[in-house]
Amino acid sequence: MARYFFDVHDGQHFTEDKEGLEFESIEAAREEAIAALPELARDVLRHRGRANQMTFEVSAKDQAGHQVLRATLSLNVQRLG
């Protein structure tokens, strides 16, 4: 098992993970990062209100502090017509 640290950026705030989580593989850590993005977006939109453009990011570091993956989710709303 390897420990991965998931840092989060919601467009305004950066939160560094100091505890980390253990996973069997980098693929399992990847799935965790992907699953976290919609939850992060919902939480931010619920508390800060709606915006026309936002980007959410979860990045994972290994135990040595090396960034091993980055997942992003973008929201872009355009009024048409």
Side-chain angles (χ1 to χ4, degrees), residues 16-50:
E16 185 176 12
D17 180 2
K18 301 280 189 188
E19 296 180 27
L21 296 169
E22 289 188 346
F23 292 95
E24 292 285 335
S25 66
I26 185 68
E27 284 304 312
R30 176 186 177 274
E31 294 302 317
E32 178 69 19
I34 290 169
L37 284 168
E39 294 176 29
L40 173 63
R42 272 191 296 275
D43 207 40
V44 168
L45 292 170
R46 187 175 321 139
H47 291 99
R48 274 199 233 143
R50 307 233 180 256

Side-chain angles (χ1 to χ4, degrees), residues 33-69:
I34 290 169
L37 284 168
E39 294 176 29
L40 173 63
R42 272 191 296 275
D43 207 40
V44 168
L45 292 170
R46 187 175 321 139
H47 291 99
R48 274 199 233 143
R50 307 233 180 256
N52 289 332
Q53 192 169 19
M54 298 181 92
T55 300
F56 306 94
E57 178 180 296
V58 175
S59 60
K61 295 182 292 195
D62 62 14
Q63 290 177 325
H66 299 112
Q67 190 171 353
V68 294
L69 67 89

